[in-house]
């Protein structure tokens, strides 16, 4: 009987152990399945992360591609502006006759008689006409120095919108150096885009064929000869610019590329001109320095240019301006001082000066200048 009870107890223990083993195996299987599921989720999550990463990379590449395209478009637009240095003669139309103003050049320069149509290389501009004032600026490279942006900023920022509408500023690049030409075009298209779009600012360049053959020769080793060539070219540059500006406006104001305009300069000039009772004036000086700030009636510009071209090899243009006044208005034997006093209503000087010369580095290589307006 006792043995029977022992056997039953062993059987019960064995059953319990077997049941417990089954339960453990079941739990282990369930846990294993859960681990497998967890691993699958992890793998799925990893795949999603990889897909997201790939998608992000594609988006980054598309963004980079879009940015590169934008940069390319900007460069193309800039190149259109810079490359518009090409001659614009054909844009005038084959049947369009060259402006009569430039025909006067053929009388003085035989080499131009072979040119069918004399016209500047128009780089930027709407060729605006019918305004009251044209402001002319001739510019050449000064090496590592440039005052042009400072000059243009003072001119356009000190005009009202109505004054800007009734005027045009003409920048004439009188330099065959293509790098300088491109740098001027790039600066103006970037800094003065609104004025270019409105037509109140133009950029032209003088064609190389305009200059006499003597100016195409290589620079001399003699400083005096180089200075003379520079002075002669400067007179011709001014003449070309004056002829281009003549049909655009009623009045022409000569400026340079290294000056600063005073506040309200344009308003003062316009008011002063409109308040002159007689239209018999020869020219008005809004600065006493050189050729800066000289105002002419556009209808008289051809006469001035003719005189300058007769003596362009002999004197700087500011001295020629004094000579033409003396020739036309002074009596024989009369002193210049007495002549100026007698004709002060014809050769008019506005005070104080409306322009200040700021350029130290001259347009003549290696030369410095410290001219300042004194009042």
């Amino acid at each position: 009987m006792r043995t029977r009870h022992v056997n039953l107890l062993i059987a019960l223990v064995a059953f319990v152990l077997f049941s417990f083993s089954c339960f453990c195996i079941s739990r282990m299987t369930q846990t294993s399945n859960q681990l497998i599921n967890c691993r699958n989720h992890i793998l799925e999550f990893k795949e999603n992360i990889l897909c997201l990463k790939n998608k992000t990379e594609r988006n980054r590449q598309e963004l980079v591609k879009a940015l590169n395209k934008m940069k390319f478009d900007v460069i193309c637009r800039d190149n259109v502006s810079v490359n518009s240095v090409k001659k614009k003669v054909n844009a005038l139309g084959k049947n369009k006759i060259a402006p009569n103003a430039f025909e006067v050049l053929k009388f003085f320069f035989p080499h131009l008689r072979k040119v069918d149509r004399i016209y500047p290389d128009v780089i930027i501009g709407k060729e605006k006409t019918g305004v009251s004032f044209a402001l002319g600026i001739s510019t050449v490279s000064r090496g590592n120095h440039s005052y042009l942006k400072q000059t243009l900023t003072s001119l356009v920022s000190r005009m009202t919108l109505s004054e800007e509408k009734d005027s045009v500023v003409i920048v004439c690049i009188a330099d065959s150096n293509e790098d300088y030409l491109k740098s001027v075009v790039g600066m103006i298209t970037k800094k003065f885009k609104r004025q270019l779009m409105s037509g109140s600012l133009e950029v032209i360049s003088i064609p190389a064929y305009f200059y006499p053959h003597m100016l195409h020769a290589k620079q001399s080793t003699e400083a005096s000869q180089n200075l003379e060539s520079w002075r002669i070219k400067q007179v011709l540059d001014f003449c070309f610019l004056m002829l281009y500006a003549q049909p655009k406006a009623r009045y022409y104001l000569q400026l340079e590329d290294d000056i600063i305009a005073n506040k309200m300069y344009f308003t003062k000039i316009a008011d002063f001109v409109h308040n002159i009772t007689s239209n018999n004036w020869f020219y008005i000086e809004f600065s006493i320095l050189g050729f800066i700030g000289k105002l002419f009636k556009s209808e008289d510009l051809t006469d001035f240019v003719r005189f300058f071209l007769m003596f362009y090899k002999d004197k700087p243009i500011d001295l020629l301006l004094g000579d033409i006044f003396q020739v036309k208005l002074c009596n024989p034997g009369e002193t210049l001082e007495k002549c100026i006093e007698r004709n002060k209503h014809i050769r008019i000087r506005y005070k104080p000066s409306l322009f200040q010369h700021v350029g130290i580095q001259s347009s003549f290589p290696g030369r410095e200048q410290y001219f300042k307006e004194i009042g």
Side-chain angles (χ1 to χ4, degrees), residues 51-63:
C51 289
L52 182 61
K53 182 180 179 181
N54 292 334
K55 188 174 181 180
T56 302
E57 179 63 20
R58 285 197 301 271
N59 290 340
R60 188 188 71 81
Q61 291 177 356
E62 290 176 1
L63 181 60

Side-chain angles (χ1 to χ4, degrees), residues 14 48 59 77 83 107 136 166 217 221 226 250 258 270 293 301 318:
N48 290 335
N59 290 340
R77 282 197 296 270
N83 291 334
F107 178 80
D166 195 31
T221 54
N226 290 335
R250 185 177 180 184
D258 58 350
L301 285 177
D318 54 324

